[in-house]
Amino acid sequence: MSNMNITLPLTDDIVEKLRAGDDVRLSGVIYTARDAAHRRMIEALEKGEELPLDIRGQVIYYVGPTPPKPGQVIGSAGPTTSMRLDRFTPPLLAAGLKGMIGKGSRGPAVREALKQHKAVYFLAVGGTGALLAKQIKKVDIVAYEDLGTEAVRRLEVEDFPVIVCNDIYGGDLLEEGKAKYKRSVA
């Protein structure tokens, strides 16, 4: 496990260096999207339409931020559970998405798609939305404004803390943790 600072977007070279358990700080642009936005993006792909943003090399953060208070660029911005987005993930990875940030584990189809398309799944710590928001320096809505908090936003982040959960080598931090726990209890 190592510590890494990454300037986005992600490339194959960067993704190849990441391993489950790595502590990473992301700087650059990430995009937000949750269930409703994912549904629309998949519908666009199925119809052969272009997505509202070029997702090649990009990272999507599974978050529905709260409205900002005066003087803030964004309200609380904690991760949402990722598994509910599993059915949408493989087609987006095939379209060039390189990373996702959320909480919780991913299913087998997503883990396989990460290996196939050289992408990575990062964990952000749930319950830390107010702290994570401090690393977000600028916010713009870029698509699906009618979805409110679920609109796709472009976030400029600085030293945004995440941990590699699933890498392209089949590494799975959560499964490794469960196995280690079982060994220590047995």
Side-chain angles (χ1 to χ4, degrees), residues 128-166:
T128 61
L131 293 172
L132 292 171
K134 292 180 180 184
Q135 306 313 119
I136 300 168
K137 306 305 177 185
K138 187 176 180 196
V139 178
D140 295 300
I141 294 177
V142 295
Y144 313 137
E145 188 169 358
D146 61 301
L147 296 178
T149 60
E150 289 202 36
V152 176
R153 288 172 169 74
R154 180 184 184 275
L155 308 181
E156 290 182 22
V157 300
E158 187 176 303
D159 297 326
F160 192 87
V162 294
I163 300 166
V164 177
C165 183
N166 298 105

Side-chain angles (χ1 to χ4, degrees), residues 80-95:
T80 193
T81 303
S82 302
M83 192 172 276
R84 344 189 280 265
L85 299 162
D86 277 7
R87 63 189 168 126
F88 304 119
T89 302
L92 293 175
L93 293 172

Side-chain angles (χ1 to χ4, degrees), residues 62-74:
Y62 302 145
V63 62
T66 63
K69 293 178 182 169
Q72 294 179 324
V73 296
I74 197 167

Side-chain angles (χ1 to χ4, degrees), residues 5-110:
N5 293 319
I6 295 175
T7 300
L8 300 166
L10 290 176
T11 62
D12 285 350
D13 289 342
I14 294 170
V15 171
E16 288 168 0
K17 293 175 186 168
L18 297 172
R19 298 292 188 283
D22 285 351
D23 181 16
V24 177
R25 298 292 180 268
L26 300 174
S27 294
V29 171
I30 61 177
Y31 292 91
T32 70
R34 285 184 45 177
D35 307 63
H38 275 76
R39 195 170 296 108
R40 285 192 187 173
M41 287 190 282
I42 296 305
E43 287 169 0
L45 287 174
E46 288 171 349
K47 293 176 184 174
E49 299 171 358
E50 287 200 21
L51 295 176
L53 63 139
D54 184 356
I55 63 170
R56 291 174 296 178
Q58 300 304 324
V59 173
I60 289 180
Y61 183 24
Y62 302 145
V63 62
T66 63
K69 293 178 182 169
Q72 294 179 324
V73 296
I74 197 167
S76 184
T80 193
T81 303
S82 302
M83 192 172 276
R84 344 189 280 265
L85 299 162
D86 277 7
R87 63 189 168 126
F88 304 119
T89 302
L92 293 175
L93 293 172
L97 182 66
K98 283 291 182 189
M100 292 123 337
I101 304 168
K103 69 178 181 183
S105 62
R106 303 310 297 262
V110 171

